[in-house]
Amino acid sequence: MIPDHTTIAAHQNRAVAETMETMAFLEVSPGPDVDGPPPDSLLCTIAFIAPYQGQLTLALPPDIARQIALALVDSDDQDVVRDIVNEITNTIAGRLLGLVAPPGEQINVGLPQPDTPADDTITWTAYRLDDGRSFRVGMHMVTETQ
Amino acid sequence: MPAPQHILIVDDSATARMFIERCLAVAGLGSATVATAANGVEALAHLRSQPCDLMISDLIMPDMGGMDLMRRIAASPRLNQVRVIIVSSASNPAVEQELRSLGALDVLQKPVSPAAIRAALENLDDDQDHDDAEDSWG
């Protein structure tokens, strides 16, 4: 049985906060549900495969992505920035599914798909950094029977 | 157990490979020879041709993921002595149990830290000491 929306949203906020803090050294706070991301965002989508289905999309403004790349590997090369966006998305999606799924059930996610347009069914949440900038995470999760 | 001298890092993300390599250096393994592979296929090719004391592998990768890689290693008498640590975001108790049944010595959550790597290496030491003690009693 998939948890309710409020529980999944709380797990998503935790997965995003833990990932951004430990991987990108950024403290973030969740905001309200919002419309889709700004058009210049760097997008990456990962499919949830098991035990639930759906997708998670990270929409990171280029300036934040470059800042993270410089902090992590001292490079803002375009390929490095893109790889980091993929890896952050991968980490958030895996952590979220690990939090939501029952401990006894195998979890599985797909490979990062850069620049994939987000599905219309996802709900976007804004996450704000200490300096006022923000990024967005879109997510949709269902069971096969839904 | 001597510190690993030949380490293989397997991850499809170049950033993740670089990050793990830095963690290894901070954890005191800066003098080890580190090789990298982008998926399980490349990892198997490396293991069959090069020495390897320790493999640190991601789980979700194109072409061949970490679970399939572990199955191949476990089934190979030539390779199943390689010590393996899995690093993944997509892990939970059920996944960890299967990985350990295939021979993984530890399963770490991404993003990995130098402290987590160091603790995992200490666990390897403990496991080896335990095995040595059992051997001497046998």
Side-chain angles (χ1 to χ4, degrees):
Chain A
M1 181 74 177
I2 192 167
D4 60 55
H5 173 75
T6 305
T7 303
I8 293 176
H11 286 318
Q12 176 182 311
N13 292 341
R14 178 180 164 188
V16 171
E18 286 179 350
T19 300
M20 296 305 280
E21 186 177 341
T22 54
M23 196 168 177
F25 316 114
L26 294 172
E27 291 198 15
V28 303
S29 48
D33 290 353
V34 292
D35 292 334
D40 66 337
S41 300
L42 296 173
L43 295 174
C44 180
T45 295
I46 289 202
F48 298 123
I49 297 172
Y52 309 127
Q53 292 72 50
Q55 69 175 80
L56 182 139
T57 299
L58 174 66
L60 207 54
D63 62 317
I64 298 177
R66 276 196 299 273
Q67 176 188 332
I68 295 170
L70 285 167
L72 265 182
V73 293
D74 198 25
S75 168
D76 63 353
D77 177 86
Q78 197 172 350
D79 290 342
V80 171
V81 172
R82 167 47 67 192
D83 189 53
I84 282 175
V85 174
N86 293 352
E87 190 63 9
I88 291 173
T89 311
N90 180 39
T91 303
I92 293 172
R95 278 184 176 235
L96 173 58
L97 201 54
L99 288 168
V100 172
E105 290 203 45
Q106 291 267 354
I107 63 172
N108 194 13
V109 298
L111 293 167
Q113 302 295 325
D115 302 323
T116 304
D119 190 306
D120 287 343
T121 58
I122 69 173
T123 301
W124 289 97
T125 304
Y127 292 87
R128 189 171 296 278
L129 307 183
D130 284 346
D131 61 11
R133 292 177 297 165
S134 65
F135 64 92
R136 298 181 185 192
V137 174
M139 199 273 295
H140 175 62
M141 190 183 291
V142 294
T143 59
E144 274 181 327
T145 54
Q146 284 179 299
Chain B
M1 180 196 71
Q5 294 299 308
H6 302 283
I7 301 172
L8 175 62
I9 300 171
V10 190
D11 199 305
D12 54 320
S13 163
T15 305
R17 295 195 298 267
M18 197 182 308
F19 198 67
I20 292 170
E21 192 167 351
R22 285 188 179 184
C23 287
L24 287 169
V26 174
L29 291 174
S31 62
T33 302
V34 176
T36 61
N39 55 52
V41 175
E42 290 183 14
L44 280 177
H46 178 91
L47 292 172
R48 286 169 177 149
S49 61
Q50 304 292 327
C52 180
D53 298 313
L54 173 66
M55 183 179 84
I56 300 178
S57 177
D58 188 17
L59 206 50
I60 309 291
M61 296 179 286
D63 298 329
M64 185 192 293
M67 194 68 84
D68 281 344
L69 175 59
M70 286 301 299
R71 290 191 185 104
R72 303 284 185 103
I73 289 173
S76 167
R78 267 187 64 203
L79 303 180
N80 63 14
Q81 298 303 311
V82 174
R83 291 170 292 173
V84 180
I85 295 173
I86 297 292
V87 176
S88 177
S89 57
S91 180
N92 72 343
V95 173
E96 184 172 337
Q97 186 178 19
E98 181 164 3
L99 288 166
R100 286 184 182 276
S101 76
L102 291 169
L105 295 174
D106 216 332
V107 182
L108 306 180
Q109 190 169 46
K110 278 191 174 182
V112 72
S113 67
I117 290 276
R118 191 179 293 119
L121 293 170
E122 286 169 2
N123 286 340
L124 297 187
D125 283 340
D126 292 344
D127 287 345
Q128 187 65 46
D129 291 346
H130 181 70
D131 290 347
D132 290 346
E134 283 190 342
D135 289 346
S136 67
W137 296 335

